[in-house]
Amino acid sequence: MALRILLADPNEEWIESAKKYLEEQLYQVDIVSNGKDAQLALYNAKFFAVILNIEIKDHSGPQVLKFLKTNHPSQNVVVVYKPMTEEEKALCDEPLDGEAYKKMGATEVLELPFEMSALHECLEGHQSLGDMMQALDK
């Protein structure tokens, strides 16, 4: 049985290519393009992992992270974000970075742009499928 993943990202083109890649890696992928739909999906189903673009709208990325931390504290969450420029940091009261997202409940953090193989490594806990299979009881 394939591991189920929720992919939440506002970029339609990226979400389709990521879904295709992950399905080739034998994952079952559900996609949503806003935070409200992400929370609804999480309420209705269990997922091996959630891949969340922090820039998602209609319930922001931080709101979805808070929902996950409150309602699904053991959920594996990979946050995808674009680092702030120095000008954006200067204008922001609390600039958020990878460490801030981990404190908010993310398991892994990926800075855009990244290779799909990096996402795959995050999902597998930085080990290969073969390594995971060897660790299972026979």
Side-chain angles (χ1 to χ4, degrees):
M1 182 155 153
L3 296 174
R4 192 170 184 185
I5 293 176
L6 178 63
L7 188 54
D9 196 293
N11 182 330
E12 295 291 328
E13 185 180 318
W14 186 86
I15 206 169
E16 287 299 328
S17 67
K19 178 181 181 182
K20 182 179 179 200
Y21 174 81
L22 291 169
E23 286 176 341
E24 288 171 358
Q25 305 304 312
L26 305 178
Y27 290 103
Q28 177 185 342
V29 182
D30 293 8
I31 59 173
V32 294
S33 59
N34 65 61
K36 192 174 186 179
D37 289 344
Q39 286 177 301
L40 188 60
L42 288 158
Y43 178 78
N44 289 320
K46 291 185 186 265
F47 294 92
F48 167 71
V50 177
I51 301 166
L52 174 68
N53 184 324
I54 209 68
E55 294 180 4
I56 205 158
K57 303 289 184 224
D58 193 12
H59 291 216
S60 69
Q63 285 176 311
V64 175
L65 265 178
K66 184 176 181 181
F67 172 84
L68 280 161
K69 190 172 185 177
T70 302
N71 298 294
H72 306 282
S74 62
Q75 179 67 64
N76 184 16
V77 182
V78 178
V79 167
V80 175
Y81 79 104
K82 184 177 138 214
M84 292 180 151
T85 63
E86 292 303 317
E87 292 105 20
E88 289 171 330
K89 285 180 183 176
L91 295 172
C92 190
D93 292 340
E94 268 186 69
L96 297 175
D97 61 7
E99 285 304 310
Y101 295 129
K102 284 189 175 186
K103 286 179 184 173
M104 295 168 77
T107 313
E108 297 278 348
V109 180
L110 288 174
E111 287 184 13
L112 288 167
F114 59 84
E115 297 290 323
M116 285 294 179
S117 59
L119 179 59
H120 191 228
E121 284 181 18
C122 285
L123 293 172
E124 292 188 1
H126 304 282
Q127 59 184 341
S128 73
L129 185 57
D131 292 340
M132 287 192 290
M133 296 302 286
Q134 287 178 344
L136 294 174
D137 291 333
K138 298 193 181 198

